[in-house]
């Protein structure tokens, strides 16, 4: 059972509900210690005087704000303590705003909010249901660990969620920060139509469990491989940028590739009902998890379309292998790596894209 990192009450109008705040996420980053090369000696950071090179005790360190080059205003710790806000006991919702009106860039960290006792569940659920029904977020400020936060409280299916927000002056204007942004002329014409069809072909329901931090998985495999004295492969080069002159050709090729490989199909859910793409042509949505439609195509209709009929050769292991390889060829390296991880393919972190395809299709190639 998680422990609350903050306790208090939420108020809206004259309604009050005692709650606790809980971390909604956790870090799974692989952490390393710093060592001196060639030894197992740990490295420790020390506070050192920049001019003398001597270590300084914590009690002799003060905070200084640089007002001009080399000139500082010194602020003592007790002076900061005197003006620091006290710990909030109340999260008072001052406004309810449309949830869709809050731009994603404002959201920072996420916390779960839970009732502090069964006797408060009814009022808690009342707040959650009201936020969900109205599609609103409750805006409030509160202090935690000596820092004041702007927050938005919103409803999920089972709980109220509190998300800390960046203050307005913390969010940068992209027009001032990013060079070379488009002038604002909207994309239109056939290129946009094909781009919309490509988006539609690659669309899928949001299933967060489908996605994995492949970098962290590779870090763990790297550590394991080095511990066993194995060699490590170099990273692949990034693909080249698309030439604007060939944009339509690239879009059409991408669309054909997405449709032939079954990308997007099988991830839509449902029972295979057809839906209309932006071009007006109907396409089947498939069913089940990603790749299901593609696998059935590779083993069935895809094999028959070669013109050899429906004999035993078309349904044999070689035909199924070719169908599986055609499906795998339509996946990105990250998606191939996810499948290899699910199947526990040995040496996958050192494989190229082609080697991953061979390993997953049953044709093992040396790593």
């Amino acid at each position: 059972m998680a422990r609350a990192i903050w306790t208090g009450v939420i108020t809206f109008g004259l309604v009050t509900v005692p709650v606790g705040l809980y971390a909604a996420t956790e870090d799974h980053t692989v952490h390393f210690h710093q060592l001196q090369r060639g030894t197992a000696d740990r490295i420790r950071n020390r506070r050192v005087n920049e001019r003398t090179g001597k270590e300084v005790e914590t009690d002799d360190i003060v905070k200084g704000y640089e007002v001009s080059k080399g000139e500082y205003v010194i602020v003592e710790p007790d002076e900061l303590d005197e003006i620091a806000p006290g710990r909030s006991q109340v999260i008072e919702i001052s406004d309810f705003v449309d949830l869709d009106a809050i731009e994603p860039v404002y959201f920072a960290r996420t916390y779960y909010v839970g009732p502090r006792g069964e006797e408060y569940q009814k009022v808690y659920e009342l707040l959650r249901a009201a936020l969900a029904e109205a599609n609103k977020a409750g805006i409030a400020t509160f202090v935690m660990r000596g820092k004041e936060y702007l927050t938005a409280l919103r409803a999920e299916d089972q709980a109220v969620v509190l998300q800390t927000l960046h203050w307005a002056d913390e969010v940068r204007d992209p027009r001032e920060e990013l060079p070379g942004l488009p002038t604002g002329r909207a994309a239109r014409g056939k290129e946009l139509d094909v781009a919309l069809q490509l988006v539609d072909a690659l669309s899928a329901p949001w299933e967060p469990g489908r996605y994995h931090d492949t970098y962290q998985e590779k870090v763990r495999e790297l550590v394991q491989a080095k511990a066993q004295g194995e060699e490590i492969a170099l990273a692949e080069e990034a693909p080249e940028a698309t030439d604007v002159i060939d944009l339509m050709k690239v879009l059409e090729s991408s669309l054909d590739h997405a449709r032939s490989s079954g990308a997007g199909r099988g991830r839509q859910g449902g029972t295979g009902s057809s839906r209309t793409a932006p071009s007006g042509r109907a396409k089947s949505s498939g069913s089940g998890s990603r790749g299901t439609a593609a696998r059935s195509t590779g083993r069935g209709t895809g094999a028959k379309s070669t013109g050899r009929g429906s004999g035993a050769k078309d349904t044999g292991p070689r035909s199924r292998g070719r169908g599986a390889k055609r499906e795998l060829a339509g996946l990105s390296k990250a998606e191939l790596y996810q499948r290899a991880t699910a199947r526990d393919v040995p040496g996958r972190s050192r494989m190229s894209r082609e080697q991953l395809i061979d390993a997953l299709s049953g044709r093992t190639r040396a790593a």
Side-chain angles (χ1 to χ4, degrees):
M1 181 67 69
R3 190 164 65 103
I5 60 176
W6 179 93
T7 57
V9 298
I10 293 176
T11 66
F12 57 109
L14 299 178
V15 181
T16 300
V17 52
V19 297
L21 208 61
Y22 302 84
T25 60
E26 60 184 3
D27 181 23
H28 65 192
T29 302
V30 177
H31 297 282
F32 294 92
H33 293 301
Q34 291 184 321
L35 307 174
Q36 183 175 354
R37 187 180 296 278
T39 74
D41 299 337
R42 293 277 301 275
I43 302 299
R44 302 292 182 184
N45 293 322
R46 294 182 178 180
R47 295 178 174 85
V48 176
N49 184 307
E50 186 180 66
R51 180 177 57 83
T52 66
K54 296 181 179 179
E55 187 174 356
V56 180
E57 297 295 331
T58 302
D59 292 341
D60 293 330
I61 297 176
V62 295
K63 295 180 182 292
Y65 182 85
E66 190 171 23
V67 292
S68 61
K69 186 66 174 178
E71 183 179 352
Y72 296 87
V73 171
I74 304 301
V75 179
E76 298 291 344
D78 57 351
E79 293 176 317
L80 289 174
D81 291 340
E82 290 177 1
I83 63 172
R87 175 184 176 275
S88 287
Q89 301 291 329
V90 180
I91 298 177
E92 181 179 0
I93 298 177
S94 59
D95 304 287
F96 288 97
V97 304
D98 290 337
L99 184 57
D100 297 337
I102 305 176
E103 297 175 8
V105 69
Y106 281 90
F107 290 108
R109 300 198 64 177
T110 303
Y111 299 90
Y112 289 135
V113 179
R116 290 202 340 258
E118 294 183 2
E119 64 269 32
Y120 307 121
Q121 289 181 356
K122 182 177 180 179
V123 183
Y124 174 88
E125 175 57 21
L126 177 67
L127 172 61
R128 190 207 66 80
L131 291 171
E133 186 71 20
N135 194 33
K136 299 278 189 180
I139 304 300
T141 60
F142 84 115
V143 176
M144 178 175 65
R145 296 172 179 169
K147 183 177 179 179
E148 186 173 12
Y149 293 92
L150 177 66
T151 67
L153 291 112
R154 61 177 183 82
E156 287 195 348
D157 289 341
Q158 298 177 334
V160 174
V161 169
L162 180 145
Q163 291 186 280
T164 59
L165 303 175
H166 294 292
W167 301 96
D169 59 358
E170 294 178 326
V171 177
R172 295 176 174 178
D173 184 344
R175 292 288 174 185
E176 297 178 359
E177 302 296 332
L178 305 180
L181 282 180
T183 58
R185 185 181 63 179
R188 56 175 61 88
K190 190 175 179 181
E191 289 179 350
L192 179 58
D193 290 339
V194 178
L196 289 171
Q197 292 176 48
L198 179 58
V199 170
D200 186 70
L202 296 174
S203 293
W206 169 236
E207 299 173 2
R210 288 184 56 246
Y211 307 95
H212 303 275
D213 187 342
T214 57
Y215 173 70
Q216 294 302 322
E217 292 174 354
K218 289 181 179 180
V219 170
R220 291 184 176 90
E221 290 189 4
L222 168 65
V223 172
Q224 183 179 3
K226 289 182 71 70
Q228 296 173 355
E230 298 179 5
E231 294 184 359
I232 308 302
L234 298 176
E236 293 185 346
E237 295 183 0
E240 295 182 359
T242 300
D243 192 333
V244 177
I245 299 176
D246 299 329
L247 181 56
M248 178 54 97
K249 181 180 179 181
V250 173
L251 284 169
E252 291 176 338
S253 298
S254 300
L255 181 58
D256 291 340
H257 184 73
R259 286 173 172 170
S260 64
S261 65
R265 295 197 300 270
R267 298 185 293 173
Q268 300 296 329
T271 57
S273 60
S274 64
R275 54 193 177 88
T276 303
S279 64
R281 288 178 285 181
K283 62 180 289 186
S284 174
S285 63
S287 61
S289 60
R290 176 184 174 97
T292 302
R295 285 195 294 272
S296 64
T297 299
R299 297 179 181 178
T301 58
K304 292 179 182 179
S305 64
T306 59
R308 292 191 300 241
S310 57
K313 290 183 179 180
D314 292 333
T315 57
R318 288 184 62 186
S319 177
R320 290 196 298 270
R322 287 193 295 270
K325 191 166 184 178
R326 280 196 297 271
E327 177 211 344
L328 294 168
L331 302 180
S332 68
K333 186 178 180 183
E335 291 171 323
L336 291 168
Y337 185 81
Q338 289 177 17
R339 292 197 179 191
T341 301
R343 296 188 191 181
D344 198 22
V345 175
R348 56 189 177 274
S349 66
R350 302 182 301 282
M351 291 184 180
S352 66
R353 186 173 180 276
E354 289 302 318
Q355 289 172 329
L356 286 168
I357 291 174
D358 286 344
L360 291 168
S361 62
R363 294 177 54 194
T364 305
R365 181 184 294 184

